[in-house]
Amino acid sequence: MYRCARKLHHLFRSLLLLSLMTATGAHAAEKIDLIIDTDPGADDVVALLFALASPQELNIRALTTVAGNVRLDKTSRNARLAREWAGREDVPVYAGAKKPMMRTPIYAENIHGVEGLSGVAVHEPKKGLAEGNAIDYLIDTLMAAKPHSITIAMLGPQTNLALALIQEPGIVQGIKEVVIMGGAHFNGGNITPVAEFNLFADPQAAEVVLKSGVKLTYLSLDVTHKILTSDARLNKIAALNNHASKLVVDILNDYIKADMAHYGIPGGPVHDATVIAYLLKPQLFSGREVNVVVDSSEGPAFGQTIVDWHDGLRAPKNAFWVEGGDADGFFDLLVERLARLK
Ligand code: BDR
Ligand code: CA
C-alpha cells in the first residue's frame, strides 16, 4: 500500500515537472554558445546580421576579426558596423591577426569593394573594439570554458584559431565544434581553378585546424553555389522594409554581380550566411563524414581542399563535408530573422 502511494507520488511529481517545463519552454534545445570569427566582407555582414537577429538560439559571446577580404582595420570596422546595425553593441569585437601565418597577404577588394562592404556607405561606428586581441580572447575563453561547450563559426581565413591552437593546444578542451565556410571539391575553386578564397588566403592555418582533432564542419563552395539569390528572393527581403533588410538588399545587389558575370549563373551565393543557417537549422543541409587535407605547398594546387568523398583512402574522417542545401529553406529563414531587426 505504502509502495503504491510512493509510486503514485513520483508519477504525479514527474507529470507536474513535465507540464512546468512545457509551460516555461525549458525543454527547448539549449542555446549555442558561439564565437564568430570573420573578415567582413559583404557576405560576412549578411551572416552577422542573420546571427545577431537570432538571440533565442545563439548566445554570441564575441566577434573576432581577421584580415581577409580587406585589411584588419577595415574588417574590424565592418564587424562593429554590423553589430551597430543589428542593435547588438553588447557583443564585444576583438581584432586578431593582421596577416596570414606564412604566405603573403591577399585581399578580395575586387569582389567586396575597397571598404570591404559593397553597395552601402560605411562610417566609423560609435562603439570601439574590445581591449585585448582575438587570439588571447580565444585562448582565455576556451581554456575557461566547460568541456566541449563553445562553437566557433569561421567565416574567413582561419589564422586566429590556428595561432591560438599553436600557442595553447589545450584550448581544444573548450571547443564543441568549428563550422567553417571554406574549401571546394565538386564545384572547383573561386580564386584559382581548385582553391576557395578563405583556404587560399591562409592554407597553413587551415592545416593546423584540420589536424587539431576538433569536430569540424565545412560549408564549401559545393553547397554555397547551390544557394543562390534570385529577384524573387531579394524582393522578399526588400518587402520587409526595415533598415537591416535595405542594407542586405543593397549589399547583395552589388556583391552578387561579380559571381553572376564570372560563372554565368542567375544569382549569387551568400557564402558565409550558410554557416549561420546551418547552426540554426542543420536539417536544411546534407553531407557526409570525410577525410580532408589542404594543399599548402607552392604550386597550382595551393589552397585546394582534397576531399576523400568515396573513402578510397580509408583515412580517418576529420570533417563533416556539407554538399547539399535547401535554398528556399535558407532564404525563408534569412527573411524570418531579418524581420526581427529594425
Ligand atoms: C569566402 O571568401 C570571402 O571572400 C567571402 O567572405 C567568403 O567567406 C567565399 O569564398
Ligand atoms: Ca568571409
Side-chain angles (χ1 to χ4, degrees):
M1 182 67 184
Y2 172 69
R3 261 206 215 143
C4 186
R6 269 187 75 82
K7 264 191 188 160
L8 272 172
H9 173 77
H10 282 306
L11 186 70
F12 182 69
R13 222 170 63 142
S14 311
L15 282 171
L16 190 72
L17 265 173
L18 195 70
S19 60
L20 271 174
M21 280 166 73
T22 313
T24 57
H27 67 300
E30 257 180 46
K31 278 193 194 185
I32 298 173
D33 245 338
L34 185 67
I35 296 170
I36 305 181
D37 192 75
T38 178
D39 64 333
D43 57 326
D44 299 73
V45 166
V46 177
L48 292 175
L49 293 172
F50 194 5
L52 291 163
S54 305
Q56 287 87 346
E57 296 93 347
L58 307 179
N59 176 31
I60 304 178
R61 304 269 297 250
L63 310 180
T64 53
T65 58
V66 66
N69 287 318
V70 280
R71 282 192 336 241
L72 181 71
D73 55 337
K74 292 187 179 179
T75 62
S76 302
R77 187 232 15 236
N78 294 346
R80 290 182 295 126
L81 268 177
R83 162 181 83 169
E84 185 172 293
W85 285 329
R88 292 294 310 275
E89 277 130 319
D90 56 302
V91 178
V93 178
Y94 292 89
K98 278 197 174 118
K99 57 183 178 60
M101 279 176 55
M102 291 164 83
R103 65 145 21 256
T104 42
I106 54 155
Y107 304 108
E109 287 161 348
N110 55 328
I111 307 285
H112 297 262
V114 283
E115 296 300 333
L117 198 41
S118 48
V120 291
V122 295
H123 62 265
E124 179 58 23
K126 284 184 218 96
K127 192 164 175 185
L129 286 166
E131 263 181 46
N133 72 70
I135 294 116
D136 290 343
Y137 170 78
L138 286 168
I139 294 173
D140 294 346
T141 307
L142 295 168
M143 289 305 282
K146 287 194 197 127
H148 305 295
S149 60
I150 297 195
T151 299
I152 303 174
M154 197 68 89
L155 311 182
Q158 298 172 37
T159 324
N160 288 338
L161 182 58
L163 291 175
L165 280 163
I166 291 167
Q167 218 172 299
E168 181 46 270
I171 63 171
V172 295
Q173 81 84 34
I175 301 177
K176 182 176 175 195
E177 183 178 9
V178 183
V179 184
I180 294 163
M181 192 283 126
H185 178 62
F186 299 106
N187 182 84
N190 62 357
I191 180 95
T192 75
V194 292
E196 178 279 331
F197 177 82
N198 287 339
L199 270 82
F200 186 77
D202 197 346
Q204 281 84 9
E207 200 160 35
V208 171
V209 177
L210 272 167
K211 287 182 177 163
S212 68
V214 299
K215 185 175 182 223
L216 299 176
T217 296
Y218 263 81
L219 286 113
S220 73
L221 299 183
D222 297 348
V223 63
T224 65
H225 274 240
K226 289 177 181 151
I227 301 183
L228 304 178
T229 61
S230 67
D231 287 347
R233 286 168 178 162
L234 290 175
N235 286 343
K236 273 192 196 165
I237 300 176
L240 295 173
N241 206 22
N242 60 21
H243 185 230
S245 73
K246 284 189 191 119
L247 288 166
V248 167
V249 169
D250 289 348
I251 291 168
L252 288 181
N253 268 328
D254 208 61
Y255 173 62
I256 60 178
K257 277 186 202 154
D259 275 344
M260 285 169 71
H262 183 69
Y263 296 102
I265 45 180
V270 198
H271 308 284
D272 294 337
T274 61
V275 168
I276 308 305
Y278 178 82
L279 293 171
L280 294 171
K281 233 180 178 184
Q283 61 272 32
L284 293 176
F285 298 90
S286 57
R288 63 168 75 157
E289 298 288 342
V290 294
N291 178 269
V292 188
V293 296
V294 55
D295 192 324
S296 60
S297 55
E298 288 298 329
F302 185 75
Q304 179 180 8
T305 41
I306 298 150
V307 178
D308 190 9
W309 186 253
H310 297 292
D311 200 20
L313 299 172
R314 298 267 181 273
K317 315 276 185 290
N318 57 354
F320 183 69
W321 190 265
V322 179
E323 182 265 344
D326 173 349
D328 284 331
F330 167 87
F331 281 99
D332 288 348
L333 188 60
L334 180 62
V335 168
E336 182 200 306
R337 296 311 154 105
L338 293 177
R340 297 177 181 180
L341 296 177
K342 288 196 178 126

